[in-house]
Amino acid sequence: MNKSYVREIVLTIVIYVWFLFAATNINIVLGQTYLHFTLGSLALLIIGITIFDKKLHITFQKEPGKNFNAILIGLGGWIILLISSVLVLKFIDPTKASISAVINLMGATTPALSASKIANLLTFGVAIAFIETQLWARMLEFFSDLFHIQVNKQSLKKFGFLLLIGILSLVFLVFHITAKGVQNLPSLIIVFLMMTISLFIVAYTEETRGAVYLHIFANTVASYILLFSVGGLQLG
C-alpha cells in the first residue's frame, strides 16, 4: 500500500480515537456525528484503493516534505477566505463586511462542547477541521470518479467539476444548518466559501494538507477568540 495512504489512515484513526473520547467526555451527539464522518472518510479511501483497485488522484500528502509550503497554502487560503467573505458580505449584509466581523461569524459555527476550553479548542480547531476536510475531499474524488473526471488543476476549467464543488459546498452548508443549528446567513455564506476554497486547493495541489491547514487556521482562530476573548475580536 502506498505510504501516503497509510499516513492518511493512521491520522484518521487518531482522530477517530479523539472523537471516541469526545463522545464519552465532551458532547455525545457531536462526538457520534464526527465518528460517523471519520468512518465515512476511511470507507471512501479504502473503497477507492481496494474495490475500485486504482491509484487515487489525491492523498493527504502527495510528496514527502514540503510541510512549510502546505502551511503557506493553508494560510493563503484562509486570507483569501477572509477577503472573499468581506466582498460577498458587502452585498448581503454590509454591517458584517469586515475582517473582524467575518472572524467573529466563524466563531458562530463553534459548538459549545464542554466546560473545558482546551478540549473545545482541540476538538473544533484541529479534529473537526481535519475530518471535515478529509471527508469532503474524499467525496469529491468519489463522485469525480463516477463521472470520469480527474481531480487536478486542469479539471478546475471544467463546468461539471466546478458544479460538483459547488454542490458539495452546499451540502457542507446544509450540514451546518441541520447538525450544528447555524441559522445566521452571513455565517452560512462563510461556511460555503470555506469549503469551496478548500476543494479548489485539494484539486490544485492533488493533496488535502493545504486545505486541512486552511480549515485549522479558520477554526482555531475563531474558536480561540470565542473561548478566550471577551466581546469577540475588534480591529480598528
Side-chain angles (χ1 to χ4, degrees):
M1 183 183 292
N2 190 304
K3 288 184 178 180
S4 59
Y5 301 150
V6 173
R7 184 179 296 107
E8 181 175 341
I9 290 171
V10 169
L11 287 171
T12 306
I13 290 174
V14 170
I15 295 298
Y16 181 84
V17 172
W18 176 261
F19 284 128
L20 280 175
F21 168 80
T24 306
N25 300 281
I26 300 176
N27 183 301
I28 186 170
V29 175
L30 202 68
Q32 288 179 342
T33 297
Y34 283 101
L35 281 172
H36 294 149
F37 273 29
T38 308
L39 292 175
S41 179
L42 272 176
L44 289 175
L45 172 60
I46 293 171
I47 287 171
I49 60 180
T50 56
I51 296 177
F52 288 173
D53 191 26
K54 70 183 187 70
K55 186 178 185 299
L56 300 179
H57 296 124
I58 60 173
T59 61
F60 174 72
Q61 182 175 341
K62 185 178 179 181
E63 299 176 1
K66 297 186 177 181
N67 287 310
F68 185 68
N69 287 348
I71 291 172
L72 287 180
I73 289 172
L75 179 60
W78 181 56
I79 293 171
I80 291 172
L81 171 61
L82 294 175
I83 295 172
S84 60
S85 296
V86 169
L87 293 176
V88 173
L89 289 176
K90 283 183 181 294
F91 299 96
I92 306 298
D93 186 350
T95 64
K96 304 294 184 183
S98 67
I99 296 295
S100 58
V102 167
I103 293 175
N104 287 328
L105 284 168
M106 290 178 186
T109 67
T110 306
L113 303 177
S114 74
S116 171
K117 293 182 178 181
I118 297 300
N120 285 341
L121 189 62
L122 289 174
T123 301
F124 187 74
V126 179
I128 288 178
F130 174 85
I131 205 58
E132 284 182 346
T133 306
Q134 289 296 131
L135 177 58
W136 259 258
R138 285 285 152 233
M139 287 194 292
L140 176 66
E141 179 148 48
F142 178 80
F143 288 111
S144 294
D145 188 63
L146 289 181
F147 294 104
H148 308 289
I149 303 173
Q150 289 191 341
V151 182
N152 54 35
K153 58 185 177 183
Q154 286 76 28
S155 293
L156 291 172
K157 301 175 183 178
K158 299 178 180 178
F159 175 77
F161 187 71
L162 295 176
L163 179 62
L164 178 57
I165 288 178
I167 292 172
L168 289 175
S169 299
L170 185 61
V171 171
F172 190 59
L173 181 154
V174 172
F175 163 71
H176 278 72
I177 296 174
T178 57
K180 293 186 177 181
V182 179
Q183 300 294 330
N184 184 303
L185 179 59
S187 293
L188 292 172
I189 289 171
I190 294 168
V191 163
F192 179 87
L193 290 173
M194 179 166 67
M195 185 51 67
T196 299
I197 295 169
S198 295
L199 294 179
F200 265 73
I201 290 174
V202 169
Y204 191 85
T205 62
E206 297 181 35
E207 64 174 35
T208 60
R209 275 189 305 174
V212 167
Y213 285 131
L214 158 59
H215 211 145
I216 288 175
F217 278 124
N219 281 18
T220 300
V221 171
S223 57
Y224 180 84
I225 290 170
L226 179 69
L227 295 168
F228 295 94
S229 299
V230 178
L233 177 67
Q234 300 294 331
L235 296 177

